[in-house]
Amino acid sequence: MALDTYIDLKDVRLTGYVSQGLIALSALESVWGTITDWQGGSSSWSFLAIVLVVPAGVASLLWFRGVTHNAEAIALHGVRTPAQVWRASDPAQRDIPFDERVASPLIRPWQYTLLAMVGCDIFESLLLDTPAYVVFSTLSTLASVGAAGLACYLIFRVSSMQRKFAVPQPRGRRG
């Protein structure tokens, strides 16, 4: 779909790639930590997954700040939530009034799996050295993998959709 208007947008690719990488690394580490837990290993692996969540969260917030800025420029509308960013960024809905646009149906499941992961992480931390620890470690890992997959997909799609609105960059001179 060719758009007739290009908008000067922030390039969110780097923060998107970093976010996706850190999110995936955190989920993989959570899987490894849970496997270690099943084998009676140290809970420090699960703690490392929690530590990796912090830089992933910071990178994701930086990415979200950039795509929110871009979405406001695209839609000329106040944009604050992931659903609003999607609705503003979707070029297929460009001719539909903003309030009638639809967001990705994957945003809510991502939010719920993220909350489930955080809740399980809290219980996991409170139940160290108990038999229930491994149960919550496993549940946290399942939620982590689900949330990571959904987050990486949503980051990729929003970044890709916004690129369709960006001002084309001039290519080097051909001599």
Side-chain angles (χ1 to χ4, degrees):
M1 171 180 182
L3 299 174
D4 56 357
T5 305
Y6 288 98
I7 303 165
D8 191 16
L9 301 178
K10 290 183 178 184
D11 189 349
V12 294
R13 288 179 295 180
L14 180 60
T15 55
Y17 295 147
V18 169
S19 298
Q20 289 172 312
L22 288 170
I23 289 167
L25 183 61
S26 179
L28 288 173
E29 199 293 319
S30 183
V31 169
W32 180 256
T34 299
I35 290 170
T36 303
D37 291 342
W38 289 340
Q39 297 170 346
S42 168
S43 60
S44 61
W45 284 104
S46 295
F47 177 74
L48 182 58
I50 294 168
V51 170
L52 286 172
V53 166
V54 173
V58 170
S60 297
L61 286 174
L62 291 173
W63 172 82
F64 188 73
R65 184 173 178 221
V67 295
T68 300
H69 168 83
N70 290 348
E72 287 179 342
I74 293 166
L76 302 174
H77 194 278
V79 175
R80 296 287 176 257
T81 67
Q84 290 173 333
V85 168
W86 184 281
R87 291 175 18 211
S89 302
D90 188 353
Q93 299 185 70
R94 180 82 166 149
D95 297 329
I96 300 171
F98 187 81
D99 294 336
E100 295 175 21
R101 296 179 188 180
V102 295
S104 170
L106 298 176
I107 292 174
R108 288 252 190 249
W110 162 69
Q111 292 171 327
Y112 293 141
T113 56
L114 185 64
L115 287 174
M117 179 194 77
V118 170
C120 289
D121 281 346
I122 290 169
F123 282 112
E124 178 183 347
S125 298
L126 295 173
L127 298 171
L128 282 174
D129 301 323
T130 69
Y133 170 81
V134 175
V135 172
F136 282 99
S137 174
T138 303
L139 292 173
S140 172
T141 295
L142 293 173
S144 173
V145 169
L150 290 168
C152 287
Y153 173 76
L154 292 169
I155 289 169
F156 173 78
R157 285 291 293 138
V158 168
S159 297
S160 296
M161 288 189 302
Q162 286 190 354
R163 297 251 332 125
K164 293 182 180 178
F165 289 98
V167 175
Q169 298 299 315
R171 304 266 178 197
R173 288 182 137 178
R174 295 183 185 181

